[in-house]
Amino acid sequence: MSLKKDKFKLSEKKIMNFAVKLAENNKYLTGTNPSVGCVIVKKNKILSFATTNNGGRPHAESIALSKNIYNKGTTLYSTLEPCSHQGKTPPCTNAIIKNKVKKVYYSIEDNDFRSFNKTKKILMSKNIIVKSGLQKKKVSKLYKEYNYIRSNKAPYITGKIASSSNLNILNNNTPITNEHSRSVSHLLRFQNHAILTSYKTINTDNPKLNCRLNGLEKFSPTVIVIDKNLKIKANSFVIKNSKKSKLIIFHCSKNISKIKLLKNRGVKLISQKVNNNSNLNLKKITQKIYNLGLHRLLVEAGKDLLTNLLKENLLNEFYFFQSDKIISNRYKINISSFIKMINKNFKNKEKINTYLGNDTLTHYY
């Protein structure tokens, strides 16, 4: 008994789903460029596939096309509109045209203004069939952060905090959550270009603020500290290791000796003017962070800085880790009012169903 050939036919959705999986697997490894999945198909057979290279280039389309000797008459599937502008690499549209691709299917438009909604017109002028919108809902979720960053020209900011079961945090360097929750925190560090914190957190907890997951250590984010008067302790871990890892401090201090000391340690100092409340302007700081090419920002700080960011409407997502411990000593800081603000300011929340022992994790978005 023979099976019909149609049983094995690759549907457009299945191919695009494969491209989406490729992009998801490489999502946080492509720098400020989006992670794109690309699949080349001809006569119901996948000839090649690729993702955006680590660091952001070459692009997925160029890599996938380069894997084949002949691409004439093929169909190219891409999760994102192929670029049509000259950047550090040539436009992907040039490679598509040169390789005589017959059809191009992509899911959503690229919010980069240099390419937005231009590819279709360019390719169709060369008699290439173009179809967009395939698996749009799924792909839009994949590029949620990227689209926000491109549309707003601002960093996508994720906050996090951990507390005891009675909503207290310790004002010292004693872990509240268990090792499983701390591993998730390290994963968040890997996923972001930089960590923002305050000098109070540095001086109190002396955190390392690096990624210590096996195999991901080299992806530790840049550390950024808000320290108006340069009160950061010179013997803190981030200062002592500032020549090995990147450290940036925003300040408005005139303390020449402290400035000289920090510069000699390899710290990048950025002077900012204070606002009407005699505080550094958080919106200007985050804009400067974006201009430095740090587009995904994780905030690991205490109640005060997180509250101010929330008031300025600068947090895009938030992760709340809660242990089963009870803290009731003189070092405690209660965050019940802050958690109420979080619940009020975010429309959606979900419990993360990953193994955290007795800890819980709530994701606000």
Side-chain angles (χ1 to χ4, degrees), residues 88-126:
K88 292 184 179 180
T89 56
C92 288
T93 48
N94 286 7
I96 292 169
I97 294 167
K98 183 180 178 180
N99 280 273
K100 298 182 179 179
V101 173
K102 184 179 181 181
K103 299 178 183 178
V104 172
Y105 291 173
Y106 64 84
S107 185
I108 63 172
E109 282 70 32
D110 186 351
N111 271 2
D112 187 327
F113 73 94
R114 296 171 297 178
S115 285
F116 178 72
N117 214 21
K118 297 175 182 176
T119 294
K120 189 176 288 188
K121 184 177 180 181
I122 292 169
L123 296 181
M124 289 177 69
S125 71
K126 300 296 181 179

Side-chain angles (χ1 to χ4, degrees), residues 38 50 90 124 141 150 152 160-161 206 221 233 285 334:
C38 179
M124 289 177 69
K141 185 177 180 180
R150 289 297 189 191
N152 294 278
K160 66 173 282 287
I161 203 166
N206 194 24
K233 292 179 180 178
I285 287 174
N334 189 270

Side-chain angles (χ1 to χ4, degrees), residues 252-299:
C252 66
S253 174
K254 302 297 182 184
N255 186 336
I256 296 173
S257 61
K258 191 67 172 283
I259 290 172
K260 185 177 179 180
L261 182 150
L262 293 172
K263 284 185 175 179
N264 287 339
R265 297 284 182 89
V267 180
K268 181 180 178 64
L269 295 172
I270 301 177
S271 181
Q272 293 281 113
K273 293 180 180 179
V274 295
N275 57 25
N276 294 332
N277 296 321
S278 298
N279 293 317
L280 296 180
N281 189 307
L282 291 176
K283 286 187 177 180
K284 288 184 178 179
I285 287 174
T286 56
Q287 188 59 54
K288 180 64 177 179
I289 291 169
Y290 169 82
N291 293 338
L292 290 171
L294 303 168
H295 292 178
R296 289 194 303 274
L297 182 63
L298 177 66
V299 184

Side-chain angles (χ1 to χ4, degrees), residues 74-90:
T74 57
T75 300
L76 181 149
Y77 291 80
S78 179
T79 53
L80 194 66
E81 176 183 14
C83 71
S84 57
H85 66 275
Q86 177 69 49
K88 292 184 179 180
T89 56

Side-chain angles (χ1 to χ4, degrees), residues 278-340:
S278 298
N279 293 317
L280 296 180
N281 189 307
L282 291 176
K283 286 187 177 180
K284 288 184 178 179
I285 287 174
T286 56
Q287 188 59 54
K288 180 64 177 179
I289 291 169
Y290 169 82
N291 293 338
L292 290 171
L294 303 168
H295 292 178
R296 289 194 303 274
L297 182 63
L298 177 66
V299 184
E300 289 197 36
K303 177 182 175 182
D304 293 343
L305 179 54
L306 285 166
T307 298
N308 289 333
L309 287 164
L310 195 60
K311 287 179 178 178
E312 294 283 349
N313 197 32
L314 291 172
L315 292 179
N316 299 96
E317 292 185 34
F318 195 83
Y319 289 89
F320 175 40
F321 297 82
Q322 191 170 20
S323 78
D324 63 337
K325 298 176 184 177
I326 294 176
I327 295 174
S328 56
N329 61 36
R330 63 193 179 95
Y331 297 110
K332 71 178 182 181
I333 298 174
N334 189 270
I335 62 166
S336 57
S337 59
F338 173 72
I339 297 301
K340 285 181 181 178

Side-chain angles (χ1 to χ4, degrees), residues 133-150:
L134 192 60
Q135 298 296 72
K136 185 176 182 178
K137 186 176 181 180
K138 182 179 289 188
V139 174
S140 294
K141 185 177 180 180
L142 170 66
Y143 294 118
K144 176 185 173 183
E145 299 104 312
Y146 172 75
N147 285 336
Y148 175 88
I149 293 163
R150 289 297 189 191

Side-chain angles (χ1 to χ4, degrees), residues 44-267:
N44 199 41
K45 180 182 178 181
I46 293 176
L47 301 184
S48 63
F49 54 87
T51 59
T52 306
N53 203 40
N54 288 1
R57 54 186 68 84
H59 294 176
E61 298 92 335
S62 296
I63 298 172
L65 289 167
S66 69
K67 291 181 178 181
N68 305 318
I69 298 174
Y70 300 108
N71 287 294
K72 185 177 180 180
T74 57
T75 300
L76 181 149
Y77 291 80
S78 179
T79 53
L80 194 66
E81 176 183 14
C83 71
S84 57
H85 66 275
Q86 177 69 49
K88 292 184 179 180
T89 56
C92 288
T93 48
N94 286 7
I96 292 169
I97 294 167
K98 183 180 178 180
N99 280 273
K100 298 182 179 179
V101 173
K102 184 179 181 181
K103 299 178 183 178
V104 172
Y105 291 173
Y106 64 84
S107 185
I108 63 172
E109 282 70 32
D110 186 351
N111 271 2
D112 187 327
F113 73 94
R114 296 171 297 178
S115 285
F116 178 72
N117 214 21
K118 297 175 182 176
T119 294
K120 189 176 288 188
K121 184 177 180 181
I122 292 169
L123 296 181
M124 289 177 69
S125 71
K126 300 296 181 179
N127 296 318
I128 296 172
I129 299 167
V130 183
K131 180 179 178 180
S132 62
L134 192 60
Q135 298 296 72
K136 185 176 182 178
K137 186 176 181 180
K138 182 179 289 188
V139 174
S140 294
K141 185 177 180 180
L142 170 66
Y143 294 118
K144 176 185 173 183
E145 299 104 312
Y146 172 75
N147 285 336
Y148 175 88
I149 293 163
R150 289 297 189 191
S151 299
N152 294 278
K153 292 183 173 57
Y156 190 90
I157 305 177
T158 301
K160 66 173 282 287
I161 203 166
S163 85
S164 64
S165 61
N166 55 337
L167 298 178
N168 287 333
I169 61 176
L170 282 175
N171 195 20
N172 59 30
N173 195 25
T174 303
I176 299 173
T177 54
N178 61 32
E179 60 179 320
H180 309 298
S181 291
R182 293 197 293 277
S183 292
V184 176
S185 293
H186 284 279
L187 185 63
L188 289 173
R189 291 176 182 178
F190 154 70
Q191 292 175 352
N192 285 274
H193 300 140
I195 290 180
L196 179 66
T197 191
S198 69
Y199 81 91
K200 291 180 182 178
T201 297
I202 299 296
N203 289 352
T204 302
D205 298 340
N206 194 24
K208 294 181 179 179
L209 298 178
N210 52 14
C211 178
R212 298 190 291 278
L213 294 177
N214 289 337
L216 298 178
E217 295 90 347
K218 66 179 180 178
F219 296 103
S220 290
T222 298
V223 176
I224 302 173
V225 181
I226 296 178
D227 185 7
K228 185 174 74 169
N229 297 312
L230 291 181
K231 292 182 178 181
I232 191 169
K233 292 179 180 178
N235 64 346
S236 62
F237 179 89
V238 294
I239 296 293
K240 288 193 291 186
N241 288 270
S242 57
K243 287 189 177 179
K244 294 180 182 178
S245 55
K246 295 178 182 178
L247 174 63
I248 300 170
I249 298 178
F250 284 89
H251 73 102
C252 66
S253 174
K254 302 297 182 184
N255 186 336
I256 296 173
S257 61
K258 191 67 172 283
I259 290 172
K260 185 177 179 180
L261 182 150
L262 293 172
K263 284 185 175 179
N264 287 339
R265 297 284 182 89
V267 180

